[in-house]
Amino acid sequence: MRDFDEPDEGELSVSAPRTWATGAPAIGHALAYALGQTSPKRTALTLLNANQAKGFDCPGCAWPDPAPDRRHRNEYCENGAKHISDEATSRQVTAEFFRRHSVDELSRRSDHWLNQQGRLTEPMVLREGATHYEPIGWDQALDLLAGELRALDHPDQALFYTSGRLANEPAFLLQLFARAFGTNNLPDCSNLCHESSGSALGETLGVGKGSVGLDDLYEADLVFVVGQNPGTNHPRMLSALEETKRRGGQVVAVNPLPEAGLLRFKHPQKARGVIGRGTEIADQFLQIRPGGDLALFQALNLLLLESEDKEPGTVLDREFIEAHTTGYDAFAERLRATTSWDAVLRATGLSRAEIERVHERVLNSRGVIVCWAMGLTQHKHGVPTIREVVNFLLLRGNIGRPGAGVCPVRGHSNVQGDRTMGIWERMPQAFLDRLGEEFGFTAPIRHGLDAVDSIRAMRDGRARLFVGVAGNFVRATPDSDATERALRNCRLTAHISTKLNRSHTVCGRTALILPTLGRSDRDVQAGGEQFMTVEDSMSEVHATRGRLAPASEHLLSEVSIITRLARRVLGREPDIPWAEFEADYDLIRDRIAHVVEGFEEFNERIRRPGGFRLPNPVNERVFRTPGGRAVFTVNDFTMLETPAGHLVLQTLRSHDQWNTVPYAMDDRYRGIKGGRRVVLVNPADLDGLGLTDGGLVDLVSVWSDGSERRAEGFRLVGYPTPPGSAAAYYPETNVLVPLDSVADISNTPTSKAVIVRLERAAERTTA
């Protein structure tokens, strides 16, 4: 089969950013991509089963589905359709492909090219000293991996990484296997994105999840969308915000870049979205300086305190504060004493009038929801920022009642479900005790390694074997050079994957590629056709059933791979029925029901149309903090200072991108076509730095320890970024973020706050 060979970079063209999103063009782009991947029949079968009660969950994002009776027949977005079609592609990567291409050659190909080759079809091995992958049978591959695991000096020398593509059942089995093996080394993609959310919410509310559902979003008087671009990353959120607006609610967008979807949304499934003007989403847009969100919410909280001073008893929810919270007095005292408007305005780049206008909206709103994503979490002060958001909501009792609450928007389809199932290096002792009691062993209690610490452990020789289940670890992590050196330091690396990616080219001394079924593939085991389950951003758990014929007869499900590996490594000690789990996934769910809180009668409840929602005690105003109350916190003001001649760079996705995978070299909404190595800079900053739109520069990140990192060959694009800031796509810019530049408490990489200088390519050439 001929390789798919599309130019990595075309001739770059730039036009004005769009001021609206989706509409008829989204339909056309989605269908064109789908039909470029597979047949019309397979495309129809795929799209019409996506996000349906008897179909499969779109693996593109974690946005929840409406109730079954409110669900559209085409319940997917443009990027979801592309992701589904990407998985359902008819292109295949066979043994012949690996014979033609050495690992070294593949390592020099782009992420886009690697992904476009198609589905992996059979197990492959790269033996020590070899230049090419070669075929290996499943028994031999699993024997090899099991032998390396058993040969380790200690179980903590093994790492088991997952992305949110993994469904609940295999996630539960993976953590069970790892802990029965003897380690809590279960890093996951949440470590890299929303760990700051979990840290902050766990400390302040007692549960590290969001508290709202779709109905709350519809009923809210005011919704904040902070550090988030739903038009690209989870477009179906725009239809929910449109419903908020239709019912009289308002939306405040807080983001460094003007995002098309938050300006105007043209619903592609409604006439007004195809032939009409659509809906203005944001009633107010605050173009904040990167990292200024902590200062913004501190200013809003100070204004609420001062409004209460002027009209006692009319602004704050005193009854709620006194009955359900602790720490208010210390919080209020510090906020009053230390908040400086001059500092707030410098940190945010906003005017006082803009902030006071938001304050008026808050005063006129009973129900307030704050939604956020990586624009808050991937800063050194990400955890304090989210704690301050919680302070903001607590002041007016906007926790634990309809139309109000916290809404961290997860970007990967089951990343929240994986955490619920135990994919976390620091699971609570109560979970470990229940797990051990259910399966007759003592789970290890020593905390394991998260994603960043796993890289450090491989680098230092403390971890010697890496297993990646779904995802693209190399391109999802910071400090690309350090990550690649660390993985190459392993004795063995193994990846359970559906598509080819960069991680398959960064190998330990021995490497395995273990191809698996996709979310859309039928999964038939000894007990018949199986289904699995996922949990979305709003704690809704529902079934997912693949409908397509698998891409190859040689594929195994993730459940099969994990259970067969566990039998080889553990034998019958402890006595866990791995073979029975592989044959019948109902048996896995029966055991989940005994171990995981909220999953009682799992098999019965999951068969109800639409599944069920997990209880969140926060919604009953029950807070599982040490003191049994929601916690007001004191958060020191922080501002990112940039040296003269430098900018604050944030990394972001293009529109035609899913996580680390670009579907095309374009970013339609931002007006970029034909290239990804671009850096968006305010025209005034270009003038001030003596640079010209269209010029070629290197991005050089500078750090407090004096170190520098370089990403070469980026085209300058004049763009309405906040003064003093810039933006560029990841994973191309991951190389700029050092491994040790992480958020306090959560250890999340600081990918939204990179201080850079722009160095002309000519200067680099002559230096």
Side-chain angles (χ1 to χ4, degrees), residues 123 256 283 352 398 409 463 562 570-571 645 650 710 717:
D283 296 276
R352 182 162 180 169
N398 279 307
V409 181
I562 294 166
L570 302 176
Q650 63 166 327
R710 182 182 298 270
V717 175

Side-chain angles (χ1 to χ4, degrees), residues 79-91:
N79 275 2
K82 290 175 180 175
H83 185 71
I84 295 163
S85 302
D86 199 63
E87 179 179 277
T89 182
S90 298
R91 300 171 187 162

Side-chain angles (χ1 to χ4, degrees), residues 278-289:
T279 302
E280 287 189 19
I281 297 296
D283 296 276
Q284 187 175 353
F285 168 48
L286 299 182
Q287 188 169 23
I288 198 163
R289 185 176 184 265

Side-chain angles (χ1 to χ4, degrees), residues 296-308:
L296 170 64
F297 280 96
Q298 287 177 326
L300 290 173
N301 288 339
L302 179 63
L303 289 172
L304 288 173
L305 295 179
E306 292 175 347
S307 294
E308 175 74 6

Side-chain angles (χ1 to χ4, degrees), residues 69-97:
D69 60 345
R70 299 177 60 181
R71 206 168 295 183
H72 197 278
R73 189 69 185 93
N74 294 289
E75 188 58 51
Y76 51 84
C77 64
E78 175 190 348
N79 275 2
K82 290 175 180 175
H83 185 71
I84 295 163
S85 302
D86 199 63
E87 179 179 277
T89 182
S90 298
R91 300 171 187 162
Q92 294 187 341
V93 177
T94 64
E96 174 59 28
F97 172 88

Side-chain angles (χ1 to χ4, degrees), residues 449-699:
L449 302 174
D450 66 10
V452 168
D453 283 336
S454 292
I455 299 169
R456 293 170 177 152
M458 289 185 286
R459 175 197 64 192
D460 299 339
R462 292 180 286 113
R464 300 162 61 191
L465 191 149
F466 177 92
V467 178
V469 188
N472 184 2
F473 185 78
V474 164
R475 298 301 264 163
T477 47
D479 208 337
S480 304
D481 293 341
T483 296
E484 295 190 11
R485 287 195 302 270
L487 280 162
R488 290 188 173 108
N489 204 30
C490 288
R491 266 187 11 195
L492 183 142
T493 53
H495 296 278
I496 301 172
S497 307
T498 57
K499 303 283 292 287
L500 192 64
N501 64 49
R502 171 71 178 172
S503 293
H504 302 131
T505 74
V506 181
C507 307
R509 290 202 294 271
T510 302
L512 287 167
I513 297 175
L514 306 177
T516 188
L517 296 176
R519 187 75 60 80
S520 56
D521 295 332
R522 282 198 309 272
D523 184 355
V524 180
Q525 302 292 346
E529 189 165 330
Q530 305 297 315
F531 71 89
M532 294 190 289
T533 63
V534 295
E535 177 188 351
D536 61 36
S537 268
M538 294 182 176
S539 300
E540 299 279 353
V541 181
H542 58 273
T544 176
R545 298 172 176 84
R547 295 302 190 190
L548 302 179
S552 164
E553 63 180 350
H554 302 297
L555 302 183
L556 292 181
S557 72
E558 289 147 334
V559 166
S560 294
I561 296 169
I562 294 166
T563 54
R564 294 183 189 187
L565 177 63
R567 290 163 63 188
R568 285 168 164 82
V569 174
L570 302 176
R572 301 297 292 181
E573 294 293 335
D575 190 11
I576 298 172
W578 299 108
E580 289 87 344
F581 287 159
E582 180 182 3
D584 186 352
Y585 298 178
D586 276 356
L587 300 179
I588 306 171
R589 286 184 282 273
D590 285 340
R591 308 301 280 270
I592 291 172
H594 297 162
V595 174
V596 183
E597 187 177 6
F599 283 81
E600 299 79 11
E601 300 178 340
F602 190 7
N603 270 312
E604 176 185 340
R605 295 160 67 203
I606 200 59
R607 285 172 163 82
R608 300 169 188 167
F612 60 93
R613 189 177 182 196
L614 292 174
N616 188 329
V618 170
N619 289 326
E620 305 300 323
R621 293 188 164 175
V622 174
F623 303 101
R624 294 180 176 176
T625 59
R629 291 171 172 244
V631 180
F632 278 96
T633 53
V634 172
N635 302 296
D636 293 334
F637 172 86
T638 299
M639 177 178 172
L640 189 63
E641 300 283 358
T642 54
H646 292 70
L647 304 173
V648 179
L649 176 80
Q650 63 166 327
T651 71
L652 42 74
R653 295 185 197 177
S654 69
H655 180 64
D656 261 320
Q657 180 177 349
W658 179 78
N659 285 355
T660 62
V661 178
Y663 298 136
M665 309 311 293
D666 306 333
D667 190 347
R668 193 167 78 248
Y669 292 160
R670 296 191 179 105
I672 310 295
K673 184 176 182 179
R676 290 182 52 82
R677 297 189 78 84
V678 297
V679 56
L680 313 181
V681 183
N682 190 289
D685 287 321
L686 289 178
D687 290 342
L689 294 170
L691 300 170
T692 57
D693 194 337
L696 193 65
V697 296
D698 293 349
L699 309 182

